[in-house]
Amino acid sequence: MMVHISIIIPAHNEEKYIERCIKSIKKSAKQFRGKVEIIVVCNRCTDQTAEIAKNNGANVVFNEDRCIAKVRNAGIAVANGKIIVTIDADNRMTKGTLSEIYNLLRTGKYIGGGTPIRFERYSFPLWCNDILCRISFGVTGLYSGIFWAKKDTFDAIGGFVDQKAMEDVATAKMLKKYGKKQGKKYTTLRNNYLINSTRKYDDLGDWLYFRLMFQNIGTLLKAAMGDKTGIDKLLDEMFYEYND
């Protein structure tokens, strides 16, 4: 049977979260009439992520890169679906997500898009983060969260842009540019959203990213000028070594 949608989940030691992510996808799949496959890309995992994913019906592939774009692209490379959807392992989707994505792409008006983002809990600093995200998405139109587009579209742009951070923004720009050439828009879901994990805030405080920006202003400015030595170390600590 033809696979209509492939969901790619990059996962680095996500045994605490992978099951709930997969369950959210399955709930969404029940609202969708087509066939769905779930692909978990185990990235340098040393825990039970792979076993839990398999036990919950996912296909599992393995990857050793320290670059989230390459991890996602490894999943896209083995996907059988006509449509690609990506979601991080600690996040969840709402039940109408897959149906809305499929219906939007069927119109022929859209090249792909992202989703609104809602935190799984809120506090004053998290509301500040939320507002900043909404303003950023609204001004730039570079929606992220859950990425979605046809597989041949991802193939045409070379997959996710190969960089360690801000690959979501860079990829959104590529999709938007490619869509413009095709006479199609890059958009976002209207009726569904990403439920964004707050685990880093739970562990490190709700002012986490504001604090990091303040503490590492010199590193960020150097990175903007082309010196990425310090930013690479910071990214490793915050993302690629977070679950080690």
Side-chain angles (χ1 to χ4, degrees):
M1 182 184 292
M2 181 182 71
V3 177
H4 294 87
I5 301 177
S6 296
I7 296 97
I8 312 301
I9 311 173
H12 172 61
N13 289 343
E14 297 287 3
E15 63 182 9
K16 293 181 181 179
Y17 298 95
I18 190 66
E19 185 173 9
R20 72 172 194 171
C21 179
I22 292 173
K23 284 183 175 179
S24 79
I25 294 168
K26 288 183 174 180
K27 286 181 181 179
S28 187
K30 286 183 179 179
Q31 306 293 317
F32 174 63
R33 294 183 179 180
K35 183 173 175 56
V36 172
E37 71 172 357
I38 301 171
I39 299 171
V40 173
V41 186
C42 279
N43 177 244
R44 301 175 292 112
C45 290
T46 57
D47 65 356
Q48 300 298 308
T49 298
E51 290 78 5
I52 294 170
K54 288 177 183 177
N55 289 339
N56 281 274
N59 300 326
V60 176
V61 297
F62 298 90
N63 175 275
E64 298 298 316
D65 291 303
R66 296 171 71 88
C67 175
I68 187 64
K70 289 182 178 180
V71 180
R72 290 195 182 109
N73 288 338
I76 293 173
V78 301
N80 297 301
K82 298 286 186 180
I83 296 169
I84 298 294
V85 175
T86 72
I87 182 171
D88 289 346
D90 58 340
N91 296 330
R92 288 167 286 162
M93 62 176 61
T94 49
K95 65 181 182 180
T97 296
L98 298 179
S99 293
E100 186 173 0
I101 286 170
Y102 186 76
N103 290 334
L104 284 172
L105 287 173
R106 279 190 68 188
T107 66
K109 297 178 181 178
Y110 305 104
I111 198 66
T115 56
I117 296 172
R118 302 291 181 266
F119 289 106
E120 60 187 359
R121 69 169 177 82
Y122 276 91
S123 64
F124 178 69
L126 292 182
W127 273 116
C128 292
N129 274 296
D130 185 299
I131 292 168
L132 286 175
C133 285
R134 295 189 197 206
I135 292 172
S136 176
F137 287 165
V139 171
T140 66
L142 300 175
Y143 305 100
S144 56
I146 295 172
F147 278 94
W148 50 275
K150 291 183 177 179
K151 188 175 190 296
D152 58 14
T153 298
F154 277 112
D155 290 341
I157 68 169
F160 278 81
V161 176
D162 186 359
Q163 57 188 53
K164 291 183 73 171
M166 299 295 287
E167 85 294 334
D168 50 355
V169 174
T171 302
K173 286 181 179 178
M174 289 288 288
L175 285 168
K176 190 173 184 179
K177 182 179 180 180
Y178 182 72
K180 189 173 183 180
K181 292 179 181 178
Q182 309 298 315
K184 298 181 179 182
K185 295 179 181 179
Y186 183 79
T187 190
T188 187
L189 302 188
R190 299 292 189 273
N191 302 316
N192 290 275
Y193 52 89
L194 173 75
I195 303 171
N196 195 44
S197 169
T198 60
R199 63 171 178 178
K200 286 184 181 177
Y201 301 102
D202 298 339
D203 291 345
L204 302 172
D206 288 3
W207 289 105
L208 172 63
Y209 287 106
F210 291 102
R211 187 173 70 250
L212 284 173
M213 284 189 288
F214 178 77
Q215 291 174 343
N216 296 279
I217 188 65
T219 298
L220 295 171
L221 289 173
K222 286 181 180 179
M225 300 298 291
D227 181 357
K228 296 185 178 181
T229 305
I231 198 69
D232 283 346
K233 184 175 183 297
L234 179 62
L235 292 172
D236 280 342
E237 291 175 356
M238 285 305 302
F239 297 102
Y240 299 102
E241 297 171 1
Y242 182 72
N243 289 336
D244 286 354

